[in-house]
Amino acid sequence: MADVVVTDLSRHYGSFIALDEVSFDVKDGEFLTLLGPSGCGKSTTLASLAGLDRPTSGKISIGGRTVFDSESGIFIDAQYRDLGLMFQSYALWPHMTVYKNIDFALELRKIRGAEAKQRIHETLEMVDMGAFVSRYPGELSGGQQQRVALARTLAYRPQILLLDEPLSNLDAKLRERARLWLSDLQRRTGVTTVYVTHDQSEALALSDRIIVMERGAIAQIGSPEEVYERPATAFVADFVGASNLFEAILETDGLGSGKITLSSGQKLTVEGPINLPSGPVIVSVRPEKIELSAAPDKQNVLAYELEARSYLGARNLAVVKVGSQSFRVECDTIPGTPNGLLSIPETEIRVFPTAEAGGRRSH
Ligand SMILES: Nc1ncnc2c1ncn2[C@@H]1O[C@H](COP(=O)(O)OP(=O)(O)OP(=O)(O)O)[C@@H](O)[C@H]1O
Ligand SMILES: [Mg+2]
């Protein structure tokens, strides 16, 4: 049982608040990702779980055991938390072979003999490195070293795997492969995993749930679909995936439905219920949700002017102008004409309070 429960966790550095009363849980066997921009508190959270950093206040329990509680002064050292840690610097011991690297990690935990041997072979097979037992780290590629480092962590069968940007040293292609492989491995072993990244596509591809962090606080917790399709704040809409973000004026009828007025004066209907008062709002529309066509049954039809187009490989990107406003549109084919009509389904328009309104939640 490896449920992790984090309650009101804070970390202050003098007057700077790196973590501000963060609460979440990690379910047994879950792959949970902490996602957010540089400096938002991801590594601080992970180091608190690991016992490598002592938070200022709050409580952490792992598998029903309290490992940190500021009120009762409990702080269990990292080595007694039964965790598998892998940080960006995954340094293998350079003077030891792949085999010895894992064996030494097991020796430190008093796992010896046939049991150690079996675990070493088993975990190396798991990460597809069985053929490399006698190589030294200097004789392996970066990706292979990373896999050995992960095998070393998995060999002592921690109840929780804590990974801080473990794929960051790999090139884009290798990273994508490592991602598929890591996700498969996690599902096969069922080890509860907390993963840190600032790469949103990595988070979307790997996670059961994502915690999006912003300046030491949680902006949203949800499945990849929830976070992408129903971002809780303008920040999440902007950070996770691409968004057209712009200001508009909302008019609500008080019954939950409403319209927004663009800077051009044109109006778009927005699917309700809308729980915001009439006034300035931030609007988010995903580039792939705008259609560069306007069949008679389409909603929110606007005239556009094509400004730029580029080929993305499988898809095309168009930048179109509606009045003074530019929209990015991702689509399969871009019409050949410089002008046309586009449509935006009302279900795809998200409305958020402006920063000045102080609110954070969407409708
Ligand atoms: N020892 C420290 N003293 C003062 N401030 C610190 C200290 N350690 C971290 N911080 C600050 O706490 C904040 C959170 O740091 P953290 O390392 O958790 O960020 P992160 O989300 O992991 O970012 P990155 O993606 O860049 O790794 C940052 O603003 C950082 O400067
Ligand atoms: Mg970090």
Side-chain angles (χ1 to χ4, degrees):
M1 196 183 80
D3 292 64
V4 178
V5 183
V6 174
T7 316
D8 294 334
L9 197 69
S10 292
R11 177 62 161 116
H12 297 187
Y13 291 106
S15 62
F16 178 75
I17 301 175
L19 277 186
D20 192 11
E21 301 197 344
V22 164
S23 299
F24 64 91
D25 58 11
V26 194
K27 297 179 182 64
D28 191 26
E30 188 174 30
F31 196 118
L32 180 93
T33 297
L34 304 175
L35 172 70
S38 182
C40 71
K42 306 179 295 294
S43 295
T44 305
T45 307
L46 210 68
S48 306
L49 291 178
L52 298 175
D53 183 52
R54 190 173 183 137
T56 310
S57 60
K59 191 176 162 180
I60 302 172
S61 74
I62 297 175
R65 167 175 170 237
T66 301
V67 294
F68 171 68
D69 185 355
S70 55
E71 261 177 28
S72 48
I74 296 173
F75 181 82
I76 308 285
D77 271 345
Q79 54 184 324
Y80 302 113
R81 291 194 187 189
D82 189 17
L83 305 161
L85 291 170
M86 185 174 154
F87 290 97
Q88 186 178 348
S89 50
Y90 48 86
L92 296 171
W93 293 296
H95 57 290
M96 292 182 193
T97 61
V98 165
Y99 187 96
K100 191 67 198 146
N101 257 279
I102 303 177
D103 192 38
F104 189 60
L106 292 174
E107 191 180 333
L108 292 175
R109 290 165 183 83
K110 312 218 171 357
I111 302 163
R112 307 304 310 132
E115 171 73 13
K117 206 167 173 175
Q118 194 225 331
R119 286 198 193 192
I120 295 166
H121 287 295
E122 188 183 280
T123 46
L124 281 174
E125 284 308 322
M126 223 183 258
V127 300
D128 212 9
M129 287 296 290
F132 297 82
V133 279
S134 348
R135 295 253 191 116
Y136 284 88
E139 299 165 346
L140 300 172
S141 76
Q144 290 168 337
Q145 291 182 39
Q146 217 140 27
R147 284 192 266 164
V148 174
L150 196 56
R152 187 174 63 179
T153 308
L154 290 168
Y156 52 85
R157 296 186 191 149
Q159 56 167 340
I160 303 177
L161 206 52
L162 302 176
L163 305 173
D164 195 344
E165 309 251 5
L167 309 182
S168 54
N169 291 346
L170 306 184
D171 66 47
K173 209 163 175 176
L174 202 56
R175 205 176 158 121
E176 203 157 302
R177 269 184 29 214
R179 208 185 272 171
L180 286 171
W181 163 86
L182 185 62
S183 144
D184 181 53
L185 183 81
Q186 197 271 339
R187 271 160 191 87
R188 275 189 288 140
T189 55
V191 60
T192 306
T193 304
V194 183
Y195 190 87
V196 163
T197 184
H198 61 268
D199 180 332
Q200 46 102 10
S201 56
E202 200 160 286
L204 292 172
L206 283 170
S207 321
D208 293 317
R209 283 189 308 153
I210 297 173
I211 296 184
V212 186
M213 297 186 67
E214 179 188 10
R215 280 183 277 125
I218 293 177
Q220 184 170 8
I221 305 182
S223 67
E225 293 76 16
E226 281 165 347
V227 167
Y228 187 83
E229 297 291 343
R230 291 187 294 286
T233 67
F235 168 81
V236 176
D238 193 29
F239 192 76
V240 183
S243 273
N244 290 290
L245 278 184
F246 53 91
E247 287 199 13
I249 305 296
L250 175 71
E251 277 172 66
T252 49
D253 63 359
L255 301 168
S257 48
K259 281 180 189 306
I260 50 167
T261 307
L262 306 181
S263 59
S264 59
Q266 286 158 301
K267 289 184 193 297
L268 302 177
T269 56
V270 182
E271 188 194 44
I274 300 169
N275 298 320
L276 292 176
S278 294
V281 285
I282 306 276
V283 180
S284 149
V285 181
R286 298 282 186 204
E288 72 276 16
K289 307 292 188 186
I290 301 178
E291 298 170 36
L292 293 184
S293 65
D297 61 325
K298 296 290 183 190
Q299 300 162 326
N300 292 330
V301 172
L302 301 168
Y304 74 83
E305 200 180 306
L306 188 64
E307 261 192 329
R309 57 193 300 157
S310 62
Y311 178 59
L312 299 178
R315 309 264 290 161
N316 285 288
L317 174 73
V319 181
V320 300
K321 217 158 186 178
V322 174
S324 60
Q325 202 161 328
S326 288
F327 289 97
R328 291 164 61 88
V329 182
E330 229 183 276
C331 51
D332 291 332
T333 47
I334 299 175
T337 51
N339 296 289
L341 294 176
L342 61 76
S343 53
I344 307 177
E346 64 174 33
T347 50
E348 302 300 343
I349 301 176
R350 309 270 170 258
V351 185
F352 305 101
T354 56
E356 298 84 68
R360 289 188 137 198
R361 307 221 58 92
S362 75
H363 71 273

